[in-house]
Amino acid sequence: RAKASGKSRYEVFHPAMREAAQARLALENELRRAVAQREFIVYYQPIMNISSGGLIGFEALVRWQHPTRGILTPAAFLDVAEEVGLGDAIGWQVLEHVCQQLATWQHTFSHAAHLSVSVNLSARQFMQPDLYARIVQLLTQYNIPPNCLKLELTESALMEYSQEAAAVLARLRSYGIQIAIDDFGVGYSSLSYLIQLPIDQIKIDRNFIIQLDQAHHSQAIVSAIVNLARSLNLEVVAEGLETAEQVDRMRTVGCHYGQGYLLGYPLPAAEASRLLQGGG
Ligand code: C2E
Ligand code: MG
Ligand code: MG
Ligand code: MG
């Protein structure tokens, strides 16, 4: 049996496996070149106040400006980049772009003084010993008020390092940097653990928003999360808002902030600037 299946496995799967391995190796090499050539750029997705309709900030989303394949989203490269140890380097390029952009916006638009940009941090980046020092150095270099920077961490990043997480967060926050928990609600972490961390904002995951359309109990759960968060003075952002009904529902349960294709797509820096020019 082993021989027969071994033979067929060889014939059927070997070429495909070899191709996959080659593609993976090519991607790794391209990623190394891309980091060296600084091919990573940032798109900016608006985060809106869904009560007033005002723009409160942007989420920075990394893109790879590939020399032949066009603009690539994280799904095409970020996992592999993390696996081969390039995630940190890409993350620092993103943070530098963001600080540079924030400085330009604050210099150009008077109403951009309170604009915040949220940056995603990987679990590994979060636990780099020099994270705090490097962020402080960047903010100082570009003369950015610390409260204009928000760092987004996922539940899993926080759970993975639950011993150290609270201390790292407290240090960043004491400097004035804001902290958000991203993709809230998908990690099945203990709510009581998460909310006692020193944080400023939770972002309710898109999957919850989708379920709002389908299941009645979802509305009750989301409503409970929003109430709990607000009683703790946490900002709540609904992610992935695609329909007017979803925006209405989130407004109804008392959620003040939202992000999603209905409110604005992730934009290249120049288009985000035009949005700000239009009045914010
Ligand atoms: P995320 O942090 O949860 O970011 C939101 C993702 O949802 C983005 O995908 C955004 O384009 C997408 N999105 C926004 N509104 C909608 C909507 O209405 N419908 C749908 N279907 N999607 C929406 P993107 O840009 O492909 O990024 C995917 C993930 O990659 C991010 O999820 C984040 O976890 C990670 N990521 C992005 N940029 C960075 C970065 O600079 N560093 C790190 N470590 N991770 C990043
Ligand atoms: Mg995020
Ligand atoms: Mg998210
Ligand atoms: Mg998400």
Side-chain angles (χ1 to χ4, degrees):
R1 197 196 67 92
K3 250 182 195 165
S5 69
K7 185 162 188 279
S8 72
R9 190 160 62 227
Y10 181 85
E11 286 173 3
V12 176
F13 292 121
H14 187 257
M17 282 172 64
R18 193 181 54 211
E19 266 172 44
Q22 282 170 345
R24 159 77 189 228
L25 200 63
L27 177 59
E28 288 180 25
N29 289 330
E30 280 205 286
L31 277 167
R32 285 199 186 86
R33 187 216 61 230
V35 167
Q37 304 285 323
R38 303 183 70 87
E39 287 171 6
F40 298 94
I41 58 169
V42 176
Y43 272 34
Y44 295 88
Q45 184 175 33
I47 301 176
M48 310 294 288
N49 181 326
I50 55 176
S51 315
S52 71
L55 176 76
I56 62 155
F58 293 102
E59 176 171 5
L61 296 162
V62 67
R63 298 290 182 263
W64 179 4
Q65 195 160 34
H66 190 278
T68 56
R69 293 164 66 200
I71 304 285
L72 303 180
T73 61
F77 64 88
L78 204 55
D79 283 350
V80 173
E82 293 278 358
E83 280 170 37
V84 299
L86 294 169
D88 294 347
I90 294 171
W92 286 112
Q93 290 186 17
V94 167
L95 265 162
E96 180 142 17
H97 278 302
V98 165
C99 288
Q100 220 160 21
Q101 191 61 63
L102 261 171
T104 302
W105 282 336
Q106 294 187 339
H107 190 252
T108 316
F109 306 113
S110 57
H111 62 279
H114 299 288
L115 193 78
S116 69
V117 175
S118 305
V119 176
N120 295 283
L121 281 196
S122 70
R124 274 207 41 172
Q125 232 185 328
F126 178 51
M127 289 316 293
Q128 278 188 334
D130 60 351
L131 176 80
Y132 177 85
R134 285 184 73 174
I135 290 184
V136 168
Q137 196 270 324
L138 269 177
L139 292 173
T140 309
Q141 182 186 340
Y142 289 98
N143 198 21
I144 310 288
N147 65 356
C148 292
L149 181 66
K150 252 190 203 108
L151 299 177
E152 295 193 1
L153 292 147
T154 59
E155 289 178 45
S156 53
L158 294 169
M159 293 307 283
E160 197 174 331
Y161 300 102
S162 55
Q163 297 295 309
E164 306 91 340
V168 177
L169 295 181
R171 189 152 184 237
L172 291 164
R173 262 185 113 224
S174 69
Y175 188 70
I177 294 162
Q178 299 189 68
I179 305 291
I181 298 185
D182 202 358
D183 305 342
F184 189 87
V186 293
Y188 307 103
S189 331
S190 144
L191 208 59
S192 58
Y193 165 72
L194 286 173
I195 58 175
Q196 68 186 350
L197 289 169
I199 58 167
D200 301 279
Q201 182 185 81
I202 61 171
K203 299 187 76 175
I204 300 182
D205 192 71
R206 189 172 86 89
N207 282 312
F208 258 113
I209 308 303
I210 293 170
Q211 284 171 40
L212 279 181
D213 302 333
Q214 293 150 2
H216 282 296
H217 66 265
S218 298
Q219 183 125 1
I221 293 170
V222 168
S223 173
I225 292 173
V226 171
N227 285 331
L228 183 61
R230 289 190 53 197
S231 72
L232 294 162
N233 279 322
L234 302 177
E235 287 179 359
V236 186
V237 179
E239 292 194 285
L241 297 174
E242 294 183 351
T243 68
E245 291 73 31
Q246 290 169 344
V247 174
D248 279 346
R249 285 207 184 88
M250 291 315 296
R251 229 188 253 123
T252 304
V253 299
C255 174
H256 291 321
Y257 306 106
Q259 179 182 353
Y261 294 162
L262 183 80
L263 307 170
Y265 287 101
L267 305 168
E271 281 182 48
S273 300
R274 273 197 288 280
L275 192 69
L276 283 170
Q277 193 155 28

